[in-house]
Amino acid sequence: MKVKATDENIKLAGSIIKKGGLVAFPTETVYGLGADALNSYAVAKIFEVKNRPSFDPLIVHISKIEWLEKLVKKIDARAEKLIRKFWPGPLTLVLLKSNIVPDIVTAGLPTVAVRMPAHPVALALIENAQTPISAPSANPFGYISPTTAEHVEKQLGDKIDLILDGGKCPIGVESTVLSLIDEEPTVLRPGGLPIEEIEKVIGKVKLQRSTDKILSPGQLPKHYAPRTPIKIFSSPDEIKEGDDIGVLLFKKTNREIKAKHVEILSENGDLREAASNLFSALHELDSAGVRIIYAEAIPEVGLGVAIMDRLRKASGQR
Ligand code: AMP
Ligand code: MG
């Protein structure tokens, strides 16, 4: 349902977010598809609705600095200067995440991307929801980013709880994503805030090319992958059991499997729940000190496509 972004409707939208629903809302860049960033099940719905064949880290939107302090480990002097100058606005900062940020929000990475949007409706929505909001652009995979509520309605109208219509987005291009993880600040995605403006505040900034595939020291990984080898199985008979193996199960099984560590993505085989647990389960298995992780193949429908994409990449299969 598309509604005008009145105070009353923003309040309603805030309560939908708080209850784990999805709301599309205007920002100064593009319309976002928002969910409570601290609720991994709600965040999994974002990927389901967007029909993405893979997981990507999401930007967390906040309305006040107090939230940044909770979401990240440390705010350094560079971040402070940039925030003073450019927030609210189209600058996203990548910093080391705190424990309250669910793994699905960062697609398993130890870093989180945060910004404070400069749109009164977005800010009011976050205030009403009383929680940070994760949001990618509100379009299905492969479609262009929406800059009006009508675009969102046409593309996703029947799949989300509410669309807040706040008119046309004034900037219309995505935010600039800047990583402050390394000594050298790095632009991961050019966007609404010009790099020159950033350089005026913190000095020289590196631009990461999308062609930079090889990870040299200091270069930031775009995706999390476990270090332990992964093997995908369809039947438990393919598992070479032992107390030095880890097993990632899609759902509960009656069969006894001898292993050092077992993780179940969803007792009842619910794909949304499985997606919301995927990255934390991989982290658990990766730190369990096992030689190999056997991962159960998942039905490739809905969110299962993105889950299998991640497992295949981690297993070195394409
Ligand atoms: P969108 O949500 O479509 O505006 O895209 C978000 C952008 O931020 C993508 O380019 C992501 O890869 C990037 N991003 C989000 N979180 C992180 C992170 N933790 N580390 C690196 N890049 C990130
Ligand atoms: Mg997008």
Side-chain angles (χ1 to χ4, degrees):
M1 198 184 28
K2 175 163 79 69
V3 297
K4 278 238 147 15
T6 59
D7 288 350
E8 202 177 324
N9 285 332
I10 294 173
K11 215 169 172 184
L12 169 69
S15 66
I16 291 174
I17 295 276
K18 198 70 205 154
K19 280 187 228 139
L22 297 186
V23 174
F25 63 99
T27 76
E28 78 278 31
T29 61
V30 301
Y31 271 76
L33 179 58
D36 179 352
L38 305 183
N39 176 342
S40 53
Y41 191 72
V43 174
K45 285 189 203 167
I46 293 178
F47 291 101
E48 184 175 61
V49 163
K50 281 197 61 129
N51 211 5
R52 272 196 81 94
S54 58
F55 293 103
D56 251 2
L58 303 175
I59 294 173
V60 178
H61 297 72
I62 59 171
S63 54
K64 47 185 180 214
I65 297 296
E66 287 75 17
W67 272 112
L68 183 68
E69 289 160 5
K70 291 186 186 135
L71 295 168
V72 305
K73 286 219 166 105
K74 189 172 167 252
I75 304 169
D76 66 20
R78 300 172 299 181
E80 268 171 16
K81 280 190 202 159
L82 291 167
I83 288 165
R84 222 172 293 137
K85 179 95 186 168
F86 299 118
W87 278 14
L91 173 67
T92 296
L93 297 178
V94 174
L95 295 161
L96 278 180
K97 84 175 190 79
S98 73
N99 289 335
I100 70 164
V101 182
D103 285 314
I104 189 168
V105 170
T106 69
L109 293 174
T111 58
V112 63
V114 186
R115 89 174 186 103
M116 191 187 289
H119 195 293
V121 174
L123 291 171
L125 172 64
I126 302 164
E127 278 295 299
N128 272 281
Q130 292 170 36
T131 182
I133 296 181
S134 311
S137 48
N139 54 284
F141 178 70
Y143 286 68
I144 54 163
S145 298
T147 51
T148 66
E150 284 75 28
H151 292 162
V152 183
E153 190 177 36
K154 233 191 266 164
Q155 298 175 350
L156 297 174
D158 52 338
K159 298 200 174 76
I160 59 187
D161 299 301
L162 198 72
I163 302 166
L164 278 179
D165 186 352
K168 198 166 177 287
C169 302
I171 296 184
V173 295
E174 270 99 349
S175 62
T176 302
V177 179
L178 179 74
S179 168
L180 296 175
I181 299 302
D182 285 340
E183 194 88 4
E184 202 175 12
T186 307
V187 167
L188 303 180
R189 178 183 73 186
L193 181 68
I195 295 176
E196 296 79 3
E197 294 295 311
I198 297 173
E199 290 188 325
K200 277 184 206 156
V201 178
I202 54 165
K204 191 82 191 118
V205 165
K206 193 169 96 184
L207 176 61
Q208 180 165 287
R209 307 262 163 82
S210 50
T211 48
D212 292 349
K213 285 252 164 57
I214 306 145
L215 280 184
S216 57
Q219 227 183 315
L220 307 147
K222 283 210 187 67
H223 293 287
Y224 161 77
R227 279 159 300 160
T228 316
I230 289 199
K231 196 168 160 37
I232 299 170
F233 69 90
S234 316
S235 153
D237 298 333
E238 297 163 48
I239 300 177
K240 289 205 183 73
E241 291 180 79
D243 50 20
D244 59 348
I245 67 156
V247 180
L248 180 66
L249 290 175
F250 172 41
K251 54 187 174 190
K252 213 174 163 163
T253 165
N254 292 326
R255 200 171 142 154
E256 278 282 327
I257 299 172
K258 194 173 167 233
K260 181 170 186 188
H261 193 102
V262 179
E263 288 282 332
I264 299 170
L265 289 177
S266 166
E267 298 263 318
N268 307 316
D270 169 28
L271 283 168
R272 230 184 247 170
E273 186 180 24
S276 71
N277 289 327
L278 175 66
F279 291 99
S280 42
L282 286 173
H283 279 299
E284 289 294 325
L285 284 159
D286 207 17
S287 55
V290 295
R291 176 177 56 80
I292 184 169
I293 299 165
Y294 287 93
E296 184 176 12
I298 282 170
E300 286 186 75
V301 290
L303 278 168
V305 176
I307 298 174
M308 281 303 282
D309 170 75
R310 175 51 60 227
L311 292 179
R312 281 208 188 90
K313 279 180 183 151
S315 76
Q317 260 176 264
R318 292 247 94 202

PDB file of all heavy atoms in Angstrom, residues 124-156:
ATOM      1  N   ALA A 124      12.439  10.907  10.272  1.00  0.00           N
ATOM      2  CA  ALA A 124      11.270  10.747  11.144  1.00  0.00           C
ATOM      3  C   ALA A 124      10.885   9.272  11.274  1.00  0.00           C
ATOM      4  O   ALA A 124      10.486   8.806  12.344  1.00  0.00           O
ATOM      5  CB  ALA A 124      10.092  11.553  10.594  1.00  0.00           C
ATOM      6  N   LEU A 125      11.035   8.529  10.175  1.00  0.00           N
ATOM      7  CA  LEU A 125      10.713   7.094  10.221  1.00  0.00           C
ATOM      8  C   LEU A 125      11.641   6.375  11.197  1.00  0.00           C
ATOM      9  O   LEU A 125      11.193   5.569  12.024  1.00  0.00           O
ATOM     10  CB  LEU A 125      10.839   6.482   8.814  1.00  0.00           C
ATOM     11  CG  LEU A 125      10.723   4.958   8.758  1.00  0.00           C
ATOM     12  CD1 LEU A 125       9.344   4.495   9.200  1.00  0.00           C
ATOM     13  CD2 LEU A 125      11.030   4.439   7.359  1.00  0.00           C
ATOM     14  N   ILE A 126      12.932   6.650  11.109  1.00  0.00           N
ATOM     15  CA  ILE A 126      13.895   5.981  11.994  1.00  0.00           C
ATOM     16  C   ILE A 126      13.601   6.344  13.456  1.00  0.00           C
ATOM     17  O   ILE A 126      13.614   5.490  14.335  1.00  0.00           O
ATOM     18  CB  ILE A 126      15.351   6.358  11.619  1.00  0.00           C
ATOM     19  CG1 ILE A 126      15.649   5.988  10.163  1.00  0.00           C
ATOM     20  CG2 ILE A 126      16.337   5.649  12.551  1.00  0.00           C
ATOM     21  CD1 ILE A 126      16.886   6.654   9.580  1.00  0.00           C
ATOM     22  N   GLU A 127      13.290   7.618  13.686  1.00  0.00           N
ATOM     23  CA  GLU A 127      12.951   8.063  15.044  1.00  0.00           C
ATOM     24  C   GLU A 127      11.738   7.306  15.575  1.00  0.00           C
ATOM     25  O   GLU A 127      11.713   6.854  16.710  1.00  0.00           O
ATOM     26  CB  GLU A 127      12.643   9.561  15.040  1.00  0.00           C
ATOM     27  CG  GLU A 127      13.883  10.440  15.101  1.00  0.00           C
ATOM     28  CD  GLU A 127      14.635  10.270  16.417  1.00  0.00           C
ATOM     29  OE1 GLU A 127      14.047  10.552  17.467  1.00  0.00           O
ATOM     30  OE2 GLU A 127      15.811   9.833  16.371  1.00  0.00           O
ATOM     31  N   ASN A 128      10.729   7.162  14.736  1.00  0.00           N
ATOM     32  CA  ASN A 128       9.511   6.462  15.148  1.00  0.00           C
ATOM     33  C   ASN A 128       9.746   4.975  15.378  1.00  0.00           C
ATOM     34  O   ASN A 128       9.138   4.372  16.258  1.00  0.00           O
ATOM     35  CB  ASN A 128       8.407   6.655  14.114  1.00  0.00           C
ATOM     36  CG  ASN A 128       7.608   7.911  14.381  1.00  0.00           C
ATOM     37  OD1 ASN A 128       6.748   7.932  15.252  1.00  0.00           O
ATOM     38  ND2 ASN A 128       7.922   8.984  13.669  1.00  0.00           N
ATOM     39  N   ALA A 129      10.606   4.398  14.547  1.00  0.00           N
ATOM     40  CA  ALA A 129      10.879   2.964  14.684  1.00  0.00           C
ATOM     41  C   ALA A 129      11.752   2.696  15.907  1.00  0.00           C
ATOM     42  O   ALA A 129      11.810   1.579  16.403  1.00  0.00           O
ATOM     43  CB  ALA A 129      11.555   2.443  13.425  1.00  0.00           C
ATOM     44  N   GLN A 130      12.445   3.710  16.371  1.00  0.00           N
ATOM     45  CA  GLN A 130      13.362   3.598  17.515  1.00  0.00           C
ATOM     46  C   GLN A 130      14.409   2.505  17.323  1.00  0.00           C
ATOM     47  O   GLN A 130      14.800   1.825  18.279  1.00  0.00           O
ATOM     48  CB  GLN A 130      12.579   3.333  18.803  1.00  0.00           C
ATOM     49  CG  GLN A 130      11.731   4.511  19.241  1.00  0.00           C
ATOM     50  CD  GLN A 130      10.808   4.119  20.365  1.00  0.00           C
ATOM     51  OE1 GLN A 130      11.159   3.327  21.230  1.00  0.00           O
ATOM     52  NE2 GLN A 130       9.605   4.668  20.353  1.00  0.00           N
ATOM     53  N   THR A 131      14.828   2.354  16.077  1.00  0.00           N
ATOM     54  CA  THR A 131      15.864   1.363  15.781  1.00  0.00           C
ATOM     55  C   THR A 131      16.534   1.774  14.473  1.00  0.00           C
ATOM     56  O   THR A 131      15.895   2.426  13.644  1.00  0.00           O
ATOM     57  CB  THR A 131      15.250  -0.048  15.655  1.00  0.00           C
ATOM     58  OG1 THR A 131      16.298  -1.001  15.406  1.00  0.00           O
ATOM     59  CG2 THR A 131      14.231  -0.148  14.530  1.00  0.00           C
ATOM     60  N   PRO A 132      17.807   1.426  14.290  1.00  0.00           N
ATOM     61  CA  PRO A 132      18.425   1.696  12.987  1.00  0.00           C
ATOM     62  C   PRO A 132      17.737   0.856  11.911  1.00  0.00           C
ATOM     63  O   PRO A 132      17.236  -0.230  12.196  1.00  0.00           O
ATOM     64  CB  PRO A 132      19.879   1.262  13.168  1.00  0.00           C
ATOM     65  CG  PRO A 132      20.003   0.653  14.506  1.00  0.00           C
ATOM     66  CD  PRO A 132      18.730   0.802  15.246  1.00  0.00           C
ATOM     67  N   ILE A 133      17.716   1.368  10.694  1.00  0.00           N
ATOM     68  CA  ILE A 133      17.016   0.688   9.600  1.00  0.00           C
ATOM     69  C   ILE A 133      17.989   0.301   8.488  1.00  0.00           C
ATOM     70  O   ILE A 133      18.668   1.149   7.931  1.00  0.00           O
ATOM     71  CB  ILE A 133      15.891   1.596   9.036  1.00  0.00           C
ATOM     72  CG1 ILE A 133      14.827   1.836  10.127  1.00  0.00           C
ATOM     73  CG2 ILE A 133      15.259   0.986   7.791  1.00  0.00           C
ATOM     74  CD1 ILE A 133      13.649   2.698   9.678  1.00  0.00           C
ATOM     75  N   SER A 134      18.066  -1.000   8.179  1.00  0.00           N
ATOM     76  CA  SER A 134      18.874  -1.459   7.038  1.00  0.00           C
ATOM     77  C   SER A 134      18.054  -1.289   5.801  1.00  0.00           C
ATOM     78  O   SER A 134      16.900  -1.693   5.777  1.00  0.00           O
ATOM     79  CB  SER A 134      19.167  -2.955   7.069  1.00  0.00           C
ATOM     80  OG  SER A 134      19.631  -3.357   8.249  1.00  0.00           O
ATOM     81  N   ALA A 135      18.682  -0.751   4.756  1.00  0.00           N
ATOM     82  CA  ALA A 135      17.922  -0.573   3.531  1.00  0.00           C
ATOM     83  C   ALA A 135      18.809  -0.503   2.301  1.00  0.00           C
ATOM     84  O   ALA A 135      19.692   0.329   2.217  1.00  0.00           O
ATOM     85  CB  ALA A 135      17.089   0.708   3.621  1.00  0.00           C
ATOM     86  N   PRO A 136      18.559  -1.401   1.354  1.00  0.00           N
ATOM     87  CA  PRO A 136      19.122  -1.238   0.018  1.00  0.00           C
ATOM     88  C   PRO A 136      18.108  -0.439  -0.797  1.00  0.00           C
ATOM     89  O   PRO A 136      17.063  -0.055  -0.269  1.00  0.00           O
ATOM     90  CB  PRO A 136      19.220  -2.664  -0.496  1.00  0.00           C
ATOM     91  CG  PRO A 136      18.049  -3.355   0.137  1.00  0.00           C
ATOM     92  CD  PRO A 136      17.760  -2.641   1.446  1.00  0.00           C
ATOM     93  N   SER A 137      18.394  -0.191  -2.058  1.00  0.00           N
ATOM     94  CA  SER A 137      17.415   0.488  -2.896  1.00  0.00           C
ATOM     95  C   SER A 137      16.187  -0.409  -3.071  1.00  0.00           C
ATOM     96  O   SER A 137      16.291  -1.632  -3.110  1.00  0.00           O
ATOM     97  CB  SER A 137      18.035   0.837  -4.249  1.00  0.00           C
ATOM     98  OG  SER A 137      18.697  -0.280  -4.783  1.00  0.00           O
ATOM     99  N   ALA A 138      15.015   0.242  -3.172  1.00  0.00           N
ATOM    100  CA  ALA A 138      13.750  -0.502  -3.175  1.00  0.00           C
ATOM    101  C   ALA A 138      13.355  -0.947  -4.576  1.00  0.00           C
ATOM    102  O   ALA A 138      12.298  -0.578  -5.086  1.00  0.00           O
ATOM    103  CB  ALA A 138      12.650   0.356  -2.548  1.00  0.00           C
ATOM    104  N   ASN A 139      14.200  -1.757  -5.187  1.00  0.00           N
ATOM    105  CA  ASN A 139      13.895  -2.288  -6.515  1.00  0.00           C
ATOM    106  C   ASN A 139      14.250  -3.766  -6.557  1.00  0.00           C
ATOM    107  O   ASN A 139      15.143  -4.203  -5.844  1.00  0.00           O
ATOM    108  CB  ASN A 139      14.706  -1.551  -7.584  1.00  0.00           C
ATOM    109  CG  ASN A 139      16.188  -1.566  -7.286  1.00  0.00           C
ATOM    110  OD1 ASN A 139      16.659  -0.829  -6.420  1.00  0.00           O
ATOM    111  ND2 ASN A 139      16.933  -2.413  -7.958  1.00  0.00           N
ATOM    112  N   PRO A 140      13.550  -4.545  -7.404  1.00  0.00           N
ATOM    113  CA  PRO A 140      13.933  -5.949  -7.549  1.00  0.00           C
ATOM    114  C   PRO A 140      15.300  -6.029  -8.239  1.00  0.00           C
ATOM    115  O   PRO A 140      15.703  -5.074  -8.909  1.00  0.00           O
ATOM    116  CB  PRO A 140      12.852  -6.533  -8.460  1.00  0.00           C
ATOM    117  CG  PRO A 140      11.796  -5.496  -8.591  1.00  0.00           C
ATOM    118  CD  PRO A 140      12.410  -4.186  -8.268  1.00  0.00           C
ATOM    119  N   PHE A 141      15.976  -7.139  -8.048  1.00  0.00           N
ATOM    120  CA  PHE A 141      17.283  -7.353  -8.657  1.00  0.00           C
ATOM    121  C   PHE A 141      17.212  -7.093 -10.168  1.00  0.00           C
ATOM    122  O   PHE A 141      16.293  -7.549 -10.830  1.00  0.00           O
ATOM    123  CB  PHE A 141      17.751  -8.784  -8.392  1.00  0.00           C
ATOM    124  CG  PHE A 141      19.065  -9.100  -9.025  1.00  0.00           C
ATOM    125  CD1 PHE A 141      20.230  -8.517  -8.548  1.00  0.00           C
ATOM    126  CD2 PHE A 141      19.138  -9.951 -10.109  1.00  0.00           C
ATOM    127  CE1 PHE A 141      21.449  -8.785  -9.123  1.00  0.00           C
ATOM    128  CE2 PHE A 141      20.356 -10.240 -10.701  1.00  0.00           C
ATOM    129  CZ  PHE A 141      21.510  -9.657 -10.208  1.00  0.00           C
ATOM    130  N   GLY A 142      18.168  -6.346 -10.674  1.00  0.00           N
ATOM    131  CA  GLY A 142      18.232  -6.108 -12.109  1.00  0.00           C
ATOM    132  C   GLY A 142      17.452  -4.903 -12.598  1.00  0.00           C
ATOM    133  O   GLY A 142      17.548  -4.533 -13.761  1.00  0.00           O
ATOM    134  N   TYR A 143      16.676  -4.288 -11.714  1.00  0.00           N
ATOM    135  CA  TYR A 143      15.929  -3.092 -12.103  1.00  0.00           C
ATOM    136  C   TYR A 143      16.674  -1.848 -11.619  1.00  0.00           C
ATOM    137  O   TYR A 143      17.500  -1.928 -10.716  1.00  0.00           O
ATOM    138  CB  TYR A 143      14.530  -3.104 -11.483  1.00  0.00           C
ATOM    139  CG  TYR A 143      13.585  -4.076 -12.134  1.00  0.00           C
ATOM    140  CD1 TYR A 143      13.783  -5.446 -12.024  1.00  0.00           C
ATOM    141  CD2 TYR A 143      12.498  -3.626 -12.875  1.00  0.00           C
ATOM    142  CE1 TYR A 143      12.923  -6.343 -12.618  1.00  0.00           C
ATOM    143  CE2 TYR A 143      11.624  -4.507 -13.472  1.00  0.00           C
ATOM    144  CZ  TYR A 143      11.844  -5.875 -13.336  1.00  0.00           C
ATOM    145  OH  TYR A 143      10.982  -6.758 -13.926  1.00  0.00           O
ATOM    146  N   ILE A 144      16.355  -0.693 -12.218  1.00  0.00           N
ATOM    147  CA  ILE A 144      17.045   0.514 -11.775  1.00  0.00           C
ATOM    148  C   ILE A 144      16.467   1.010 -10.450  1.00  0.00           C
ATOM    149  O   ILE A 144      15.331   0.713 -10.101  1.00  0.00           O
ATOM    150  CB  ILE A 144      17.017   1.654 -12.831  1.00  0.00           C
ATOM    151  CG1 ILE A 144      15.578   1.939 -13.264  1.00  0.00           C
ATOM    152  CG2 ILE A 144      17.889   1.328 -14.021  1.00  0.00           C
ATOM    153  CD1 ILE A 144      15.417   3.266 -13.966  1.00  0.00           C
ATOM    154  N   SER A 145      17.300   1.780  -9.741  1.00  0.00           N
ATOM    155  CA  SER A 145      16.905   2.260  -8.424  1.00  0.00           C
ATOM    156  C   SER A 145      15.742   3.243  -8.539  1.00  0.00           C
ATOM    157  O   SER A 145      15.713   4.087  -9.417  1.00  0.00           O
ATOM    158  CB  SER A 145      18.086   2.940  -7.743  1.00  0.00           C
ATOM    159  OG  SER A 145      19.121   2.026  -7.553  1.00  0.00           O
ATOM    160  N   PRO A 146      14.766   3.110  -7.630  1.00  0.00           N
ATOM    161  CA  PRO A 146      13.568   3.940  -7.703  1.00  0.00           C
ATOM    162  C   PRO A 146      13.778   5.321  -7.083  1.00  0.00           C
ATOM    163  O   PRO A 146      14.334   5.445  -5.995  1.00  0.00           O
ATOM    164  CB  PRO A 146      12.558   3.151  -6.867  1.00  0.00           C
ATOM    165  CG  PRO A 146      13.398   2.393  -5.903  1.00  0.00           C
ATOM    166  CD  PRO A 146      14.721   2.142  -6.538  1.00  0.00           C
ATOM    167  N   THR A 147      13.330   6.346  -7.771  1.00  0.00           N
ATOM    168  CA  THR A 147      13.441   7.703  -7.224  1.00  0.00           C
ATOM    169  C   THR A 147      12.058   8.320  -6.964  1.00  0.00           C
ATOM    170  O   THR A 147      11.960   9.461  -6.546  1.00  0.00           O
ATOM    171  CB  THR A 147      14.240   8.619  -8.174  1.00  0.00           C
ATOM    172  OG1 THR A 147      13.678   8.514  -9.481  1.00  0.00           O
ATOM    173  CG2 THR A 147      15.704   8.221  -8.227  1.00  0.00           C
ATOM    174  N   THR A 148      10.993   7.533  -7.215  1.00  0.00           N
ATOM    175  CA  THR A 148       9.644   7.980  -6.831  1.00  0.00           C
ATOM    176  C   THR A 148       8.911   6.803  -6.184  1.00  0.00           C
ATOM    177  O   THR A 148       9.278   5.638  -6.392  1.00  0.00           O
ATOM    178  CB  THR A 148       8.789   8.437  -8.046  1.00  0.00           C
ATOM    179  OG1 THR A 148       8.535   7.297  -8.878  1.00  0.00           O
ATOM    180  CG2 THR A 148       9.489   9.519  -8.864  1.00  0.00           C
ATOM    181  N   ALA A 149       7.874   7.139  -5.429  1.00  0.00           N
ATOM    182  CA  ALA A 149       7.070   6.106  -4.770  1.00  0.00           C
ATOM    183  C   ALA A 149       6.338   5.260  -5.813  1.00  0.00           C
ATOM    184  O   ALA A 149       6.068   4.078  -5.596  1.00  0.00           O
ATOM    185  CB  ALA A 149       6.080   6.747  -3.807  1.00  0.00           C
ATOM    186  N   GLU A 150       6.035   5.860  -6.961  1.00  0.00           N
ATOM    187  CA  GLU A 150       5.346   5.121  -8.026  1.00  0.00           C
ATOM    188  C   GLU A 150       6.247   4.008  -8.565  1.00  0.00           C
ATOM    189  O   GLU A 150       5.778   2.898  -8.838  1.00  0.00           O
ATOM    190  CB  GLU A 150       4.930   6.049  -9.179  1.00  0.00           C
ATOM    191  CG  GLU A 150       3.711   6.920  -8.880  1.00  0.00           C
ATOM    192  CD  GLU A 150       4.021   8.085  -7.939  1.00  0.00           C
ATOM    193  OE1 GLU A 150       5.184   8.552  -7.933  1.00  0.00           O
ATOM    194  OE2 GLU A 150       3.109   8.506  -7.201  1.00  0.00           O
ATOM    195  N   HIS A 151       7.547   4.306  -8.721  1.00  0.00           N
ATOM    196  CA  HIS A 151       8.482   3.257  -9.167  1.00  0.00           C
ATOM    197  C   HIS A 151       8.416   2.060  -8.210  1.00  0.00           C
ATOM    198  O   HIS A 151       8.330   0.909  -8.638  1.00  0.00           O
ATOM    199  CB  HIS A 151       9.938   3.746  -9.132  1.00  0.00           C
ATOM    200  CG  HIS A 151      10.270   4.807 -10.131  1.00  0.00           C
ATOM    201  ND1 HIS A 151      11.393   5.599 -10.007  1.00  0.00           N
ATOM    202  CD2 HIS A 151       9.657   5.209 -11.257  1.00  0.00           C
ATOM    203  CE1 HIS A 151      11.440   6.448 -11.018  1.00  0.00           C
ATOM    204  NE2 HIS A 151      10.391   6.228 -11.796  1.00  0.00           N
ATOM    205  N   VAL A 152       8.439   2.360  -6.915  1.00  0.00           N
ATOM    206  CA  VAL A 152       8.443   1.281  -5.917  1.00  0.00           C
ATOM    207  C   VAL A 152       7.144   0.500  -5.999  1.00  0.00           C
ATOM    208  O   VAL A 152       7.144  -0.736  -5.988  1.00  0.00           O
ATOM    209  CB  VAL A 152       8.603   1.835  -4.481  1.00  0.00           C
ATOM    210  CG1 VAL A 152       8.681   0.695  -3.479  1.00  0.00           C
ATOM    211  CG2 VAL A 152       9.839   2.724  -4.367  1.00  0.00           C
ATOM    212  N   GLU A 153       6.039   1.232  -6.121  1.00  0.00           N
ATOM    213  CA  GLU A 153       4.736   0.574  -6.146  1.00  0.00           C
ATOM    214  C   GLU A 153       4.635  -0.386  -7.324  1.00  0.00           C
ATOM    215  O   GLU A 153       4.174  -1.516  -7.192  1.00  0.00           O
ATOM    216  CB  GLU A 153       3.620   1.612  -6.224  1.00  0.00           C
ATOM    217  CG  GLU A 153       2.246   1.006  -6.018  1.00  0.00           C
ATOM    218  CD  GLU A 153       1.157   2.057  -6.033  1.00  0.00           C
ATOM    219  OE1 GLU A 153       1.279   3.027  -6.811  1.00  0.00           O
ATOM    220  OE2 GLU A 153       0.192   1.910  -5.264  1.00  0.00           O
ATOM    221  N   LYS A 154       5.116   0.070  -8.476  1.00  0.00           N
ATOM    222  CA  LYS A 154       5.051  -0.758  -9.670  1.00  0.00           C
ATOM    223  C   LYS A 154       5.900  -2.017  -9.525  1.00  0.00           C
ATOM    224  O   LYS A 154       5.506  -3.099  -9.935  1.00  0.00           O
ATOM    225  CB  LYS A 154       5.534   0.054 -10.877  1.00  0.00           C
ATOM    226  CG  LYS A 154       4.528   0.042 -12.028  1.00  0.00           C
ATOM    227  CD  LYS A 154       5.140   0.627 -13.291  1.00  0.00           C
ATOM    228  CE  LYS A 154       4.833   2.105 -13.423  1.00  0.00           C
ATOM    229  NZ  LYS A 154       5.690   2.798 -14.395  1.00  0.00           N
ATOM    230  N   GLN A 155       7.087  -1.852  -8.922  1.00  0.00           N
ATOM    231  CA  GLN A 155       8.040  -2.964  -8.888  1.00  0.00           C
ATOM    232  C   GLN A 155       7.843  -3.906  -7.699  1.00  0.00           C
ATOM    233  O   GLN A 155       8.087  -5.099  -7.816  1.00  0.00           O
ATOM    234  CB  GLN A 155       9.473  -2.411  -8.876  1.00  0.00           C
ATOM    235  CG  GLN A 155       9.794  -1.614 -10.142  1.00  0.00           C
ATOM    236  CD  GLN A 155      11.162  -0.955 -10.085  1.00  0.00           C
ATOM    237  OE1 GLN A 155      11.807  -0.920  -9.044  1.00  0.00           O
ATOM    238  NE2 GLN A 155      11.602  -0.433 -11.211  1.00  0.00           N
ATOM    239  N   LEU A 156       7.437  -3.362  -6.554  1.00  0.00           N
ATOM    240  CA  LEU A 156       7.385  -4.187  -5.341  1.00  0.00           C
ATOM    241  C   LEU A 156       6.076  -4.077  -4.562  1.00  0.00           C
ATOM    242  O   LEU A 156       5.951  -4.656  -3.484  1.00  0.00           O
ATOM    243  CB  LEU A 156       8.528  -3.791  -4.386  1.00  0.00           C
ATOM    244  CG  LEU A 156       9.965  -3.979  -4.843  1.00  0.00           C
ATOM    245  CD1 LEU A 156      10.907  -3.378  -3.811  1.00  0.00           C
ATOM    246  CD2 LEU A 156      10.291  -5.452  -5.029  1.00  0.00           C
TER     247      LEU A 156
END
